Amino acid sequence: MGDEKNIRMVFSSEPDILFEKKTGDTWHIVATIEIKSGTDPAGALERLGALQKSFANTPARSKNFAVLGVITPKMVKRLNEMHVEKYFSLWEVMAEDKWNGFVKEIFHHTLRLIR
């Protein structure tokens, strides 16, 4: 523990949420979360393209996460080819038991802010 003051959470448009860690006087992106809440399967690949564009703007060492309103088999294939650490269904993370797993993944495993 002790790094809490060196991590900040920033809300933006691309990516939707980013976490930065301070090293010296410089902030570096360490993790991002992109949220695509659309549920129409017909637009899923379009949202995936926007997700890919957003993640292309993050450093290679950044851990990128996605929260998606719909996940099609074709998306799963493409997500596995992209620089996505892990993806989550929006509907699953809204359920309390899955929400806790999502928070643990981000704040414990990735950022190491909670035990």
Side-chain angles (χ1 to χ4, degrees):
M1 305 302 270
D3 277 343
E4 299 89 3
K5 294 179 183 173
N6 293 325
I7 300 270
R8 70 180 175 189
M9 182 173 166
V10 179
F11 296 94
S12 65
S13 59
E14 281 191 27
D16 294 316
I17 302 169
L18 61 90
F19 296 92
E20 296 177 314
K21 185 171 187 173
K22 190 172 187 179
T23 306
D25 291 333
T26 307
W27 290 95
H28 303 279
I29 298 172
V30 293
T32 67
I33 302 173
E34 188 67 31
I35 302 166
K36 299 296 177 204
S37 60
T39 59
D40 179 12
L45 292 181
E46 182 179 326
R47 288 186 295 277
L48 187 63
L51 179 87
Q52 190 170 14
K53 179 184 168 195
S54 178
F55 287 160
N57 294 325
T58 63
R61 294 188 325 199
S62 172
K63 293 188 177 188
N64 298 315
F65 297 90
V67 177
L68 306 165
V70 65
I71 302 170
T72 66
K74 189 174 258 187
M75 284 179 75
V76 170
K77 183 177 186 284
R78 291 195 183 169
L79 285 164
N80 289 332
E81 295 168 354
M82 291 171 52
H83 180 61
V84 176
E85 186 75 17
K86 194 168 187 178
Y87 58 89
F88 302 88
S89 161
L90 175 64
W91 308 107
E92 287 182 356
V93 299
M94 288 179 16
E96 187 175 344
D97 61 328
K98 300 290 184 173
W99 171 254
N100 292 336
F102 171 74
V103 169
K104 187 174 183 179
E105 179 70 37
I106 303 299
F107 293 96
H108 173 66
H109 295 298
T110 301
L111 300 173
R112 306 215 182 269
L113 295 175
I114 59 174
R115 294 177 195 229

